[in-house]
């Protein structure tokens, strides 16, 4: 848990907790990690600048190369396992393997990619990364607490 205190008040206040698993699920469903109702994307992979439902700013996201990396890892494990399993148990002809696994690889990648990207945006939002913890929407005037100095016995 990240403890955050306001700069305007000397009393430490716990900021609104952002559940990581819930945010991951909301992102996977391509919904706003804050309200779960607004659409995350305006098109296939184009993230809305702000949630159309609650106004949460989403332009802070920095998913970058991570979604394709995770997508390739997930799809690769599924497809390679499937190919090896089919080859060991049924030994189908190569053309049949190609006709089945190549389209499946493309379709699975296209299906998983926006979901993985959404989950990563949800993760960034939950951990207040890349500007998600500051700004006008929620958490204005919030700064992370300084770590306590180590005490020696
Ligand atoms: Zn929202």
């Amino acid at each position: 848990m990240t403890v955050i205190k306001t700069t305007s008040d000397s009393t430490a206040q716990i900021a609104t907790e952002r559940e990581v698993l819930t945010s991951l699920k909301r992102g996977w469903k391509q919904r706003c990690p804050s309200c779960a109702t607004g659409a995350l994307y305006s098109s296939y992979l184009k993230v809305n600048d702000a949630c159309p439902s609650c106004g949460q700013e989403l332009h802070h996201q920095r998913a970058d190369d991570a979604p394709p990396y995770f997508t390739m890892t997930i799809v690769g494990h599924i497809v390679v396992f499937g190919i090896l399993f089919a080859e060991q148990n049924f030994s189908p002809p190569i053309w049949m393997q190609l006709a089945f696994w190549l389209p499946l690889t493309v379709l699975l990648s296209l299906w998983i990619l926006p979901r993985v990207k959404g989950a990563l945006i949800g993760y960034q939002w939950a951990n207040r990364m890349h500007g998600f913890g500051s700004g006008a929407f929620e958490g204005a005037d919030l700064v992370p607490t300084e770590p306590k100095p180590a005490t020696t016995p």
Side-chain angles (χ1 to χ4, degrees), residues 13-89:
Q13 294 179 340
I14 306 291
T16 308
E17 186 72 28
R18 294 178 178 179
E19 190 67 38
V20 173
L21 190 59
T22 303
S23 301
L24 285 170
K25 286 178 187 173
R26 288 174 176 176
W28 178 267
K29 293 175 183 172
Q30 303 173 59
R31 294 285 152 206
C32 168
S34 179
C35 68
T37 45
L40 191 58
Y41 301 116
S42 58
S43 61
Y44 180 61
L45 288 175
K46 173 86 175 125
V47 179
N48 283 322
D49 284 341
C51 172
S53 179
C54 71
Q56 166 70 51
E57 292 179 348
L58 299 168
H59 62 86
H60 300 297
Q61 65 86 19
R62 295 287 179 270
D64 299 334
D65 294 342
Y69 172 79
F70 285 115
T71 300
M72 285 189 296
T73 304
I74 294 167
V75 172
H77 277 80
I78 294 169
V79 169
V80 169
F81 172 80
I83 290 171
L84 294 175
F85 182 82
E87 192 61 41
Q88 282 226 315
N89 293 293

Side-chain angles (χ1 to χ4, degrees), residues 89-130:
N89 293 293
F90 311 112
S91 294
I94 292 296
W95 70 265
M96 193 181 288
Q97 289 268 45
L98 290 173
F100 180 76
W101 293 108
L102 285 179
L104 184 74
T105 302
V106 172
L107 294 175
L108 203 55
S109 298
L110 292 173
W111 188 80
I112 287 178
L113 183 59
R115 285 156 178 83
V116 167
K117 182 174 180 176
L120 285 167
I121 292 169
Y123 181 82
Q124 292 173 5
W125 179 83
N127 288 296
R128 302 173 194 276
M129 298 165 70
H130 312 302

Side-chain angles (χ1 to χ4, degrees), residues 1-22:
M1 183 180 97
T2 305
V3 177
I4 296 174
K5 70 179 181 183
T6 63
T7 54
S8 59
D9 187 359
S10 60
T11 308
Q13 294 179 340
I14 306 291
T16 308
E17 186 72 28
R18 294 178 178 179
E19 190 67 38
V20 173
L21 190 59
T22 303

